[in-house]
Amino acid sequence: MEKFTKEMTIGEALQVDINAAPVLMEIGMHCLGCPSAQGESLEEAAMVHGIPVEELMEKLNALA
């Protein structure tokens, strides 16, 4: 089972595993504490930062 889903918000992902922070920062998500980060899904964040959501999910779920 995957630990992270593309529907999760960034805030939820960080609650699941704080080690998601360096992965998110590596792809350009530097404002993890911003209000928008708390409401933005991982899929939306990937799209905004120009990376395929599948790539982000692979990186995050590799933390498991």
Side-chain angles (χ1 to χ4, degrees), residues 8-57:
M8 279 182 167
T9 65
I10 294 169
E12 289 170 337
L14 294 172
Q15 288 178 347
V16 168
D17 189 339
I18 193 64
N19 294 312
V23 174
L24 295 170
M25 292 183 77
E26 174 186 307
I27 63 166
M29 297 179 194
H30 298 287
C31 190
L32 300 179
C34 295
S36 63
Q38 300 308 306
E40 189 173 59
S41 73
L42 292 172
E43 183 173 35
E44 291 166 332
M47 190 171 53
V48 167
H49 290 88
I51 68 150
V53 68
E54 296 80 17
E55 182 181 325
L56 176 58
M57 293 297 92

